[in-house]
Amino acid sequence: MFREKKKVIINVNYDQAQEASARYAEISARLNIIEAQMNERINNIRNQFQDEIIQLTLEKEQQMDLLEIYAKEQKDSWGRRKSLDLLHSVIGFRTGTPKVTKDRKFSWDDVLEMVKEKFPSLVRVKCELDKEAIIAMREEKQFQDLQKTCFIDVVQDETFFIEPKLQALLRVA
């Protein structure tokens, strides 16, 4: 696929905009038709292989279960190694990343309170700017003071959009 450099266009009149709008809508409609045809073909192919995929997936899971049981039963004979080379594959155990768990009797809030009391250095205190409050006060006089003293502002980007009227074109096609 090739890319063209974007041309600089200026002084577009109303008729040119109307013509561009019509062409844009035609192109959008044609793209939608092509994508629908592609999706239909993809779904047909998916349906064609679906039964075999399900069967192979089930069989693959059975083989994995068998290999996992073998690995668990034989793990002690591997020594310090975490994997075993077989003729057609390598099986083994990966060590996951450490995570903190709790006793089922307690909620995380209960645990937090206990840790706050006995080990306060393990409790994180997060301080962050309340941006929603700043946005809410942008119309107030106090906001101008905030702008000048803290060098912040509230801005809203504007993006261009086109919504083609495809219904009219689809009736024509």
Side-chain angles (χ1 to χ4, degrees), residues 15-35 162-173:
D15 291 335
Q16 291 172 315
Q18 286 288 21
E19 187 179 323
S21 172
R23 186 71 181 125
Y24 183 90
E26 287 173 21
I27 292 168
S28 295
R30 180 66 183 137
L31 280 172
N32 287 345
I33 291 168
I34 291 171
E35 287 173 356
I162 301 174
E163 292 177 2
K165 297 177 182 173
L166 298 177
Q167 303 302 1
L169 287 171
L170 291 176
R171 279 188 236 126
V172 174

Side-chain angles (χ1 to χ4, degrees), residues 24-97:
Y24 183 90
E26 287 173 21
I27 292 168
S28 295
R30 180 66 183 137
L31 280 172
N32 287 345
I33 291 168
I34 291 171
E35 287 173 356
Q37 290 173 345
M38 284 175 41
N39 288 334
E40 185 179 340
R41 289 180 187 172
I42 289 168
N43 287 333
N44 288 339
I45 293 169
R46 190 173 283 124
N47 291 337
Q48 180 182 348
F49 293 101
Q50 190 67 33
D51 292 338
E52 187 177 3
I53 289 172
I54 291 170
Q55 182 62 35
L56 290 172
T57 302
L58 290 172
E59 194 174 329
K60 182 180 165 185
E61 288 172 2
Q62 290 172 348
Q63 302 310 312
M64 183 165 179
D65 291 343
L66 191 94
L67 288 168
E68 185 177 358
I69 291 168
Y70 173 78
K72 286 178 179 177
E73 291 174 350
Q74 301 298 319
K75 188 176 181 184
D76 294 337
S77 67
W78 295 359
R80 297 185 69 197
R81 297 183 335 178
K82 292 199 171 264
S83 62
L84 177 68
D85 282 329
L86 297 175
L87 189 58
H88 297 288
S89 60
V90 176
I91 61 172
F93 297 94
R94 289 193 174 97
T95 304
T97 54

Side-chain angles (χ1 to χ4, degrees), residues 79-147:
R80 297 185 69 197
R81 297 183 335 178
K82 292 199 171 264
S83 62
L84 177 68
D85 282 329
L86 297 175
L87 189 58
H88 297 288
S89 60
V90 176
I91 61 172
F93 297 94
R94 289 193 174 97
T95 304
T97 54
K99 59 184 177 182
V100 178
T101 61
K102 62 173 185 56
D103 192 308
R104 278 192 261 164
K105 298 175 196 169
F106 298 98
S107 70
W108 280 109
D109 290 334
D110 296 334
V111 171
L112 176 61
E113 290 305 316
M114 289 185 277
V115 172
K116 271 184 187 177
E117 188 178 309
K118 299 193 192 258
F119 303 94
S121 65
L122 298 177
V123 177
R124 219 183 264 160
V125 178
K126 188 174 181 180
C127 189
E128 62 183 25
L129 195 60
D130 187 355
K131 293 178 182 177
E132 289 82 16
I134 294 171
I135 291 170
M137 73 179 286
R138 72 181 183 266
E139 302 297 326
E140 299 173 12
K141 290 182 181 179
Q142 192 180 12
F143 180 71
Q144 292 174 354
D145 188 38
L146 178 69
Q147 275 182 304

